[in-house]
Amino acid sequence: LTTVTQPNSAVKLSITATAATSDDVAGWMRTLEKNGHFASVELGPVNASGPRQYSFTISTVYTLKL
């Protein structure tokens, strides 16, 4: 996880993760896109690094909403 502070209390995130299936990767994306705290959700390259292991990066902007 890499973070960069943005104006208006926003934080730009770069998340590197692994998943067991491509459906799990899609699940990550859907979850972030549905959450009102995250904007500009972008999926980077997805690499199959094993029989049930996908590595990927997601970039997004998180804003705390009270």
Side-chain angles (χ1 to χ4, degrees), residues 12-63:
K12 184 175 182 179
L13 304 173
S14 178
I15 304 164
T16 302
T18 58
T21 68
S22 59
D23 288 337
D24 292 341
V25 176
W28 268 82
M29 293 296 293
R30 281 191 301 274
T31 298
L32 291 174
E33 290 170 338
K34 287 180 184 178
N35 188 311
H37 293 282
F38 296 95
S40 303
V41 180
E42 297 180 14
L43 179 63
V46 178
N47 300 302
S49 53
R52 288 185 47 91
Q53 186 168 354
Y54 294 84
S55 58
F56 60 98
T57 301
I58 296 175
S59 298
T60 188
V61 176
Y62 174 83
T63 304

Side-chain angles (χ1 to χ4, degrees), residues 9 36-37 62-66:
S9 300
H37 293 282
Y62 174 83
T63 304
L64 178 62
K65 297 179 181 180
L66 302 174

